[in-house]
Amino acid sequence: MVKIGIMGLTGCSGCQCEILNCEEAIYRLIEKVEISYFPLAQDNNSFGEFEILFVEGSVTTEEDERKVKEGRERAKFLVAVGSCACYGGVQSQRNDEASLEEMLLAVYGRKELPVKVQKPRAVSEVVKVDYELPGCPLDKRQFVYAVASILNGVKPFFPKIPVCHECKLSETECLTLKGIPCQGPVTFAGCGAPCTASGVGCQGCRGNCDFPNFEEMVEILKKNGLSTGDAVKFLKVFRGYQSKEIKLSEGVVENEKGA
């Protein structure tokens, strides 16, 4: 029987919980495959060979790195799930602003910890990743679609259109036009835009859409009341290594440094 594994690294386990929330789909899945490794959900686990290994969380410790490298060797397909695994997540948003020692001192008050830690990294920065299912948490419908596609020999396809597209389809009033900070124009759609439908601006948890215009996005956020520095920090929260794509004009960068 086809074997599937679900591994957790450094993270909140929210994406693994969302997989469990698939409910009916999970029941149907276990009729077709064996979920042989899922420590969050079951006691009996076998870390053997996998058709698909789903990995949640960022690589933040030496143990994380060892586990994901071993998982890559054992898996035919490795799928990163959630923003932490795909981009580094919230915990990596200040990677370019402080050293690891400075981070440890600020958070723990000391440089030495019982475990060997490192700056948080996306899974793809450590091993080859076949597919990514971003989000905080991931969208469970995309998880079901990805599993079904891979098991049927079909490459999952997720067009990287902006969240604004989904707002248009659902006839959700544009929050940017109402003066609410929203990252919809530069963020990868696929979640169904539940935040904007509830009146909350998109937080960018699914990472970059294709060809994001961050310079213009910063200008829009400034019109909505944020300083340049706060606008850039707002955009960086979930993006991890993708934050390197936030390339601003020379004048804007200078304003950011002085903010």
Side-chain angles (χ1 to χ4, degrees):
M1 181 174 284
V2 172
K3 294 185 177 182
I4 288 178
I6 302 172
M7 172 192 291
L9 305 177
T10 297
C12 68
S13 299
C15 291
Q16 294 181 76
C17 290
E18 191 67 3
I19 290 173
L20 289 173
N21 285 338
C22 291
E23 300 169 347
E24 187 74 23
I26 286 289
Y27 288 125
R28 293 182 181 180
L29 179 64
I30 59 179
E31 294 175 356
K32 307 292 184 182
V33 305
E34 176 186 349
I35 300 179
S36 58
Y37 184 82
F38 195 178
L40 182 74
Q42 61 190 33
D43 293 326
N44 297 322
N45 293 284
S46 173
F47 198 69
E49 300 296 318
F50 304 103
E51 181 73 13
I52 314 172
L53 177 63
F54 294 93
V55 180
E56 178 208 46
S58 63
V59 181
T60 307
T61 67
E62 286 188 357
E63 177 63 10
D64 285 342
E65 185 169 345
R66 183 196 65 77
K67 284 171 61 178
V68 77
K69 285 182 176 179
E70 185 176 354
R72 175 68 276 184
E73 292 176 356
R74 296 171 180 265
K76 182 176 180 181
F77 296 99
L78 189 145
V79 183
V81 295
S83 297
C84 296
C86 293
Y87 313 127
V90 172
Q91 56 266 42
S92 67
Q93 63 181 291
R94 298 291 183 261
N95 275 1
D96 61 342
E97 299 177 15
S99 67
L100 178 61
E101 289 73 20
E102 289 172 324
M103 292 178 181
L104 293 175
L105 283 172
V107 177
Y108 300 104
R110 55 197 175 101
K111 296 181 181 180
E112 298 297 327
L113 296 179
V115 296
K116 295 290 185 179
V117 298
Q118 51 193 241
K119 282 190 174 183
R121 290 178 290 170
V123 174
S124 62
E125 294 180 276
V126 180
V127 298
K128 177 181 179 293
V129 171
D130 297 296
Y131 303 107
E132 293 182 336
L133 304 178
C136 189
L138 87 162
D139 184 87
K140 60 185 180 182
R141 295 165 299 181
Q142 291 199 333
F143 170 78
V144 172
Y145 167 71
V147 172
S149 296
I150 294 172
L151 293 180
N152 283 285
V154 178
K155 181 179 179 180
F157 174 65
F158 303 102
K160 301 192 75 170
I161 56 178
V163 171
C164 296
H165 179 78
E166 294 188 316
C167 286
K168 292 290 186 181
L169 290 176
S170 62
E171 299 185 353
T172 298
E173 186 176 0
C174 180
L175 299 185
T176 295
L177 296 179
K178 297 173 69 174
I180 298 175
C182 178
Q183 298 185 40
V186 294
T187 300
F188 180 11
C191 56
C195 297
T196 53
S198 300
V200 178
C202 172
Q203 305 296 298
C205 76
R206 289 179 55 80
N208 298 348
C209 64
D210 279 337
F211 313 112
N213 187 340
F214 286 114
E215 186 168 338
E216 185 62 27
M217 188 74 254
V218 168
E219 292 303 312
I220 291 173
L221 291 171
K222 287 167 64 177
K223 291 178 183 178
N224 288 342
L226 300 184
S227 67
T228 304
D230 285 342
V232 172
K233 289 177 180 177
F234 177 44
L235 290 167
K236 289 175 62 177
V237 171
F238 287 98
R239 283 182 160 81
Y241 76 83
Q242 284 194 336
S243 295
K244 297 175 183 177
E245 295 187 33
I246 304 178
K247 298 180 176 69
L248 309 178
S249 66
E250 185 175 349
V252 175
V253 171
E254 289 302 314
N255 289 336
E256 177 200 344
K257 290 179 180 177

